[in-house]
Amino acid sequence: MRELTVQDMRDLLYGCGVLGTGGGGSVEEGLAMMQEHFNKGETLKLISPAELPDDSYVATPYGCGAPSAEKGHCENGENHAAVEGSPAALAFHGLETFMNVKFCAVASTELGGANTAEAMHVACLLGLPLADGDPAGRSVPELIHSTYYLQNKPIAPLSAATKFGDVVILKEVADDFRAEALVRAMACVSGDEISVCDHPMTGREYRDCIITGAISNALDIGRTLRKAGEKGEDAAAAVAETQNGAVLFRGIVKEAPWECRGGFDCGEIYLDGREDYAGQNCRIVYKNENLVVYLNGKAAATVPDLICMIDRDGKPVTNPVCQPGLEMTVIVLPAPEPWTTKEGLAVLGPKYFGIDEEYIPFDRRNR
């Protein structure tokens, strides 16, 4: 187990912002969530999965919904005042109470600027360690997009809490697809956001089904961004190089239409090329997270590879904050191995999202 300093936690969130692939919530939101802990100079304990007690329980708190720039785009019937406190912690406590156990650690559900911060925030509030693993290794649109699902780990019992103080326990649920539908529906009538805590499991079970070291990897990416910026270097290129990725495009956002649909932010980003890419064009299609990127009309990368956006200041860009005139670099990073399997591609490959492309790893597609 090791302790993360305030600087470490900031770097971690920026790294998660890159791995958020346009989703996962903004880094700014995550930093704001953690500010009270930063102000106190608190540290965060990071525990390796191997250190988790075999028979003690861990659980996964996170936010779910459409991380829209303007909530007014979504019809959600929000007529109640928010209550104080953390809905994620409320969901975490709710599941503990229902199961009559005390969780020994907090697990992240995906790597994103806000969603990883949810897990960090709960860990700091409750004095628990954060597990150095993740069931996605990136940000993902739906609840089923996890290695928990690939390993047939039950999502229920799960708890859901709104910012209005509502707490719901789903003792049983038909499957992860049904859980996705139920939780997304609750988010749609709760300001298009809800906090969830699910997949309670023992340390032994957790070790066997997650991507080990995912938090440390995000921290490394955040450090790479910061150090490149301090040296005046190309942060996007530095991340691509250290992560065995590639720079796909440099351009200026021309237009970025989007809408909130069914609890998801869905849209496209059009860029005109600059520098070595002058005269070329780029189009990104997303459902919360970036799904496919087209260069001059031809697919250059698709999910589950990570299509990441970094602005001229070396900061990750999230959807739909992306606005016309923004200068950014599009990079692609290799997908975590579980998503490249037949089972992984069945739920996180391009066909699952209605994209008429076969998954070809970006480094083979662009030879």
Side-chain angles (χ1 to χ4, degrees):
M1 191 181 304
R2 57 178 170 138
E3 290 192 346
L4 302 185
T5 65
V6 169
Q7 183 62 66
D8 290 335
M9 288 187 276
R10 289 181 182 275
D11 289 343
L12 171 56
L13 290 177
Y14 276 104
C16 287
V18 173
L19 297 173
T21 66
S26 71
V27 173
E28 290 72 23
E29 182 182 354
L31 291 171
M33 197 182 306
M34 291 297 295
Q35 192 59 51
E36 63 181 278
H37 307 295
F38 296 163
N39 290 342
K40 295 175 184 177
E42 294 179 3
T43 58
L44 172 65
K45 293 180 180 178
L46 186 66
I47 186 170
S48 73
E51 294 176 287
L52 292 170
D54 284 352
D55 298 320
S56 294
Y57 279 82
V58 301
T60 306
Y62 57 94
C64 175
S68 309
E70 300 177 48
K71 291 295 182 183
H73 281 242
C74 305
E75 296 296 331
N76 51 51
E78 183 179 338
N79 296 309
H80 297 80
V83 298
E84 293 185 2
S86 165
L90 193 61
F92 193 85
H93 274 310
L95 191 55
E96 278 188 323
T97 300
F98 174 75
M99 296 182 63
N100 194 29
V101 299
K102 283 292 183 183
F103 298 133
C104 71
V106 178
S108 67
T109 190
E110 66 175 357
L111 300 178
N115 247 344
T116 305
E118 289 267 22
M120 295 165 63
H121 182 46
V122 171
C124 287
L125 283 175
L126 304 181
L128 293 174
L130 177 69
D132 190 7
D134 189 82
R138 47 164 293 151
S139 280
V140 287
E142 302 173 18
L143 272 62
I144 62 168
H145 296 139
S146 77
T147 54
Y148 297 148
Y149 172 76
L150 298 182
Q151 295 291 330
N152 296 311
K153 298 298 182 183
I155 195 170
L158 69 84
S159 61
T162 74
K163 61 184 178 182
F164 311 117
D166 313 304
V167 180
V168 177
I169 299 291
L170 287 179
K171 179 182 176 182
E172 298 176 0
V173 64
D175 55 28
D176 287 28
F177 292 91
R178 180 67 177 158
E180 162 66 32
L182 292 170
V183 169
R184 194 71 55 176
M186 287 189 280
C188 284
V189 295
S190 305
D192 290 294
E193 57 185 354
I194 195 168
S195 290
V196 183
C197 187
D198 63 22
H199 288 100
M201 64 183 70
T202 65
R204 182 189 299 109
E205 292 172 315
Y206 179 78
R207 277 196 296 276
D208 292 341
C209 66
I210 47 84
I211 299 168
T212 301
I215 298 295
S216 290
N217 184 55
L219 175 56
D220 288 342
I221 291 174
R223 284 175 175 159
T224 297
L225 280 179
R226 175 171 56 83
K227 291 179 178 180
E230 291 171 350
K231 296 176 183 178
E233 298 174 349
D234 186 331
V239 170
E241 181 179 357
T242 59
Q243 293 290 308
N244 297 314
V247 172
L248 285 185
F249 196 78
R250 299 183 191 277
I252 300 174
V253 177
K254 182 179 180 180
E255 55 181 324
W258 66 278
E259 63 178 339
C260 182
R261 187 166 64 241
F264 297 94
D265 289 335
C266 301
E268 298 177 299
I269 300 171
Y270 296 84
L271 299 100
D272 289 334
R274 63 183 179 88
E275 299 177 1
D276 293 343
Y277 301 87
Q280 301 183 53
N281 62 80
C282 174
R283 177 168 71 100
I284 298 171
V285 178
Y286 65 85
K287 178 182 179 181
N288 278 11
E289 283 76 33
N290 299 325
L291 303 178
V292 58
V293 55
Y294 299 96
L295 300 185
N296 304 312
K298 182 180 179 181
T302 72
V303 283
D305 286 346
L306 285 70
I307 301 162
C308 313
M309 306 178 299
I310 299 175
D311 69 17
R312 63 181 299 173
D313 297 321
K315 301 295 190 297
V317 179
T318 51
N319 306 321
V321 175
C322 191
Q323 298 294 324
L326 177 69
E327 289 186 23
M328 69 181 189
T329 300
V330 181
I331 67 172
V332 59
L333 306 179
E337 186 275 334
W339 298 121
T340 65
T341 64
K342 178 181 178 181
E343 296 77 12
L345 289 172
V347 292
L348 197 62
K351 299 289 188 182
Y352 178 84
F353 298 100
I355 298 168
D356 189 21
E357 295 285 344
E358 295 294 332
Y359 171 66
I360 302 173
F362 73 89
D363 55 344
R364 287 169 42 198
R365 183 185 289 270
N366 298 302
R367 284 176 180 170

